[in-house]
Amino acid sequence: MIQRPRGTRDFGPAEMHKRRKAEQAMRDVCHRFGFGEVVTPTFEHSELFKLRSGPQVVEEMYVFRDKGDRELALRPEITASVIRYFVNDLSTAPRPLKFYYVGNCFRYENPQSGRYREFFQLGAELIGNKNPETDAEVIALAVNCIRAAGLENFVVRIGHIGILKSLVQSEVKDDAVVSDILRMLDKEDFDALGDMFDAKTLPRKLFDRITAIAEIKGEIDLLNNLEQSEVTDYVREIFSVLKIFGLEDCQLDLGIVRGLDYYTGMVFEIDAPNLGAEKQILGGGSYTLSELFGGEPVFSTGFAIGIDRVMLALEKERTPEPHQPLDAFVVPAKDDMRKYVLGIVARLRSQGLRVDVDLMRRTLSKSLKYASSANAKYAIIVGKEEMAKRSVTLRDMKSGEQEVVLADEVGSKIKGRVG
Ligand code: HAM
């Protein structure tokens, strides 16, 4: 038997129903915020991601050569593609550009619950400006998406990479070492960071300062522990705009560094605490990438939601509602009514109802058993007598109650009841 590749999944209809519902709710929010959908290729020239994603993402990339000997990569994320699209085709379009996307991404990671080699993101990018309102707008969109998906327990943490980055850069001139330091701060691996400082004889004072800042997490007032600067004023302003948007309980977290290397300003993450190790359901922030792809530098702010993790968190939060794929299952009582019932099925479907019919030529009782296992709300039974009177027997599958209804009226009757 051929198995699916490690770290990938198959999704059945019940799971897809839930995923699409959550996804649609999030898409609706994106539209309400004025974001339009874009789709970019699933594979790109590998260079696109190598330029600024950072060593971790590059290491995990699925890279291959095509028959024309081009080095391509399955996208590990979608931000770089959206900015490439912007530089290629949209650099003169009126700004800001507000885009959202839904798609699969690929990273060669160690698979576990919530961590896959193929996973799905819904993300958004606002291209064209950098100011606290822009950043707050993107954070508000993210939070509203998560809420619309139905999640109640989540924590929004907001920081600014400029604080740690500028401190480190003021004393460390090698960009690769700066990146390594920031990555260890992101992982809160302070022991390894200390060892690295010792090995490279970097100033201990810097270590103490950056680890202290990375541990500033909680109320916005904790910013008072830092010297006032342009960055602290900027972060305060983001929180004040978020308040106007009705988002009062966001936390300050100056330890957020993010796994991708392209961020330059505000950074934010959302966790679903009930997920344990893989609790980060969203990551984002402001960055510039366009200049690396041949365009002028343009500020953008964006995020990506890990749809798989949102679905896992939703499952932990509430008892799943029964999947109701069918409004009605139509059953001919005898073989010679099979064609007649197909006409009824076609009419009900054209009225917008979700209707299925016995295609296995089962007996009446077996068909009813199937209708029940398919979780149909109603069974519509057509016998000889019903056919003669142009009627049907409508059976409520839950209560077992039955009534005879005119065939022409059964559609509106069901519609009135299923809403
Ligand atoms: P990221 O933090 O790498 O950011 O990914 C965003 C989200 O995708 C994560 O928070 C997580 O929920 C989900 N995710 C990442 N890797 C996996 C995996 N292996 N399995 C399951 N879920 C995963 C980005 O991708 C940036 N492009 C976000 C962004 C957009 N920044 C600015 N604009």
Side-chain angles (χ1 to χ4, degrees), residues 76-79 101 107 109 114-117 119-121 124-125 258 260 262-263 280-285 287 301-306 308-309:
E77 57 119 29
I78 305 179
T79 306
Y101 48 82
R107 294 183 194 174
E109 302 212 55
R115 184 171 288 274
Y116 311 100
R117 291 187 175 165
F119 59 98
F120 295 81
Q121 287 189 341
E125 312 295 339
R258 310 275 306 121
L260 290 142
Y262 47 62
Y263 298 99
Q280 201 195 107
I281 55 170
L282 175 147
Y287 60 93
T301 307
F303 65 82
I305 293 171
D308 309 278
R309 294 187 188 172

Side-chain angles (χ1 to χ4, degrees), residues 66-357:
D66 72 1
K67 290 183 180 171
D69 207 30
R70 297 171 194 92
E71 192 185 278
L72 301 171
L74 294 180
R75 58 185 179 195
E77 57 119 29
I78 305 179
T79 306
S81 298
V82 172
I83 300 303
R84 180 211 31 79
Y85 171 37
F86 162 73
V87 172
N88 289 163
D89 297 339
L90 300 165
S91 58
T92 57
R95 295 180 197 166
L97 291 131
K98 297 170 101 180
F99 293 146
Y100 83 92
Y101 48 82
V102 185
N104 49 353
C105 299
F106 306 85
R107 294 183 194 174
Y108 192 83
E109 302 212 55
N110 241 343
Q112 52 185 288
S113 170
R115 184 171 288 274
Y116 311 100
R117 291 187 175 165
E118 183 188 27
F119 59 98
F120 295 81
Q121 287 189 341
L122 181 147
E125 312 295 339
L126 195 158
I127 305 167
N129 207 356
K130 180 177 114 168
N131 58 43
E133 306 90 272
T134 298
D135 289 350
E137 162 103 336
V138 172
I139 297 169
L141 170 64
V143 174
N144 278 280
C145 281
I146 299 286
R147 275 192 195 143
L151 208 62
E152 285 168 10
N153 277 312
F154 57 88
V155 180
V156 186
R157 296 177 290 110
I158 303 168
H160 196 295
I161 201 167
I163 299 176
L164 284 174
K165 211 176 196 171
S166 58
L167 263 175
V168 176
Q169 280 171 337
S170 68
E171 306 240 9
V172 183
K173 299 299 163 205
D174 181 338
D175 281 352
V177 179
V178 172
S179 279
D180 285 346
I181 294 174
L182 292 176
R183 205 157 310 110
M184 286 178 192
L185 283 171
D186 185 48
K187 294 206 171 110
E188 297 186 344
D189 198 349
F190 297 154
D191 290 341
L193 186 64
D195 293 345
M196 181 182 164
F197 265 68
D198 291 343
K200 294 200 184 289
T201 56
L202 296 170
R204 202 69 208 177
K205 241 174 127 182
L206 176 67
F207 174 84
D208 293 342
R209 182 102 182 92
I210 57 177
T211 48
I213 290 176
E215 286 186 305
I216 297 182
K217 300 172 198 293
E219 298 286 306
I220 175 73
D221 291 344
L222 289 174
L223 262 191
N224 299 338
N225 296 337
L226 288 182
E227 211 177 286
Q228 192 207 354
S229 68
E230 234 176 78
V231 175
T232 58
D233 288 348
Y234 188 96
V235 173
R236 274 204 182 85
E237 200 55 27
I238 293 177
F239 275 76
S240 108
V241 180
L242 285 172
K243 216 168 170 178
I244 298 169
F245 279 142
L247 305 181
E248 309 240 357
D249 44 10
C250 299
Q251 293 190 3
L252 177 74
D253 184 348
L254 296 184
I256 302 177
V257 180
R258 310 275 306 121
L260 290 142
D261 271 5
Y262 47 62
Y263 298 99
T264 51
M266 180 279 293
V267 278
F268 75 116
E269 293 176 346
I270 300 186
D271 302 329
N274 65 14
L275 285 185
E278 304 305 328
K279 63 178 194 279
Q280 201 195 107
I281 55 170
L282 175 147
S286 72
Y287 60 93
T288 60
L289 269 176
S290 46
E291 71 279 16
L292 290 177
F293 306 156
E296 52 166 320
V298 178
F299 282 105
S300 309
T301 307
F303 65 82
I305 293 171
I307 297 178
D308 309 278
R309 294 187 188 172
V310 169
M311 297 317 295
L312 287 173
L314 281 172
E315 219 161 88
K316 293 229 157 142
E317 237 176 47
R318 56 180 189 209
T319 40
E321 349 164 344
H323 176 44
Q324 196 98 72
L326 287 180
D327 295 321
F329 190 79
V330 186
V331 187
K334 288 261 159 31
D335 265 351
D336 47 4
M337 283 136 214
R338 291 204 181 277
K339 276 198 174 152
Y340 174 74
V341 301
L342 291 179
I344 296 178
V345 169
R347 210 164 344 129
L348 293 175
R349 285 177 178 163
S350 71
Q351 289 173 2
L353 288 165
R354 292 168 298 178
V355 178
D356 208 349
V357 60

